[in-house]
Amino acid sequence: MVGDFFDMITKEQVVEKLRDVIDPELGVNVVELGLVYKIELTENSPRVHIEMTLTTPGCPLASMFDRMVKDALFTLEDGFVPEKDVVITLVWDPPWVPDFMSDMAKAELGF
């Protein structure tokens, strides 16, 4: 039953699926880039709330990230998260800086 599946979703599962979302310009996933600020899971619909940012407010690929995140979460291991149950909010505060990247991302990008 879908309700039972939602009771089992964890933030860790969401984070792991977000590692599949690769920034098309940088070639690194949004988690390692430090673009994901907050993940909340609720019992109400929508059930998954994600606050994230982009490397620049004027990023020409901004509209792609909503689709890429929803597509990634649709395929959680034990079920799927319907698009209507995922809300992605782009935030600009705090503004992203390279210090938010993981050591792996910094090494990959030459920082």
Side-chain angles (χ1 to χ4, degrees), residues 71-105:
D71 286 349
L73 294 181
F74 187 76
T75 59
L76 275 167
E77 186 174 320
D78 296 323
F80 65 94
V81 180
E83 183 174 326
K84 69 178 181 61
D85 283 322
V86 179
V87 172
I88 299 122
T89 304
L90 285 180
V91 296
W92 308 109
D93 187 30
W96 180 86
V97 293
D99 289 344
F100 291 175
M101 291 190 291
S102 70
D103 290 340
M104 190 260 342

Side-chain angles (χ1 to χ4, degrees), residues 8-52:
M8 298 183 304
I9 294 175
T10 66
K11 284 185 183 180
E12 292 77 19
Q13 287 174 305
V14 172
V15 168
E16 283 308 307
K17 291 311 289 182
L18 292 177
R19 290 182 193 282
D20 294 338
V21 179
I22 307 298
D23 181 298
E25 291 183 315
L26 300 176
V28 178
N29 73 65
V30 296
V31 173
E32 298 300 328
L33 285 172
L35 299 178
V36 178
Y37 287 171
K38 186 179 190 180
I39 297 170
E40 289 183 339
L41 305 177
T42 65
E43 293 179 16
N44 304 319
S45 185
R47 298 186 185 258
V48 181
H49 298 260
I50 299 170
E51 279 188 14
M52 63 181 291

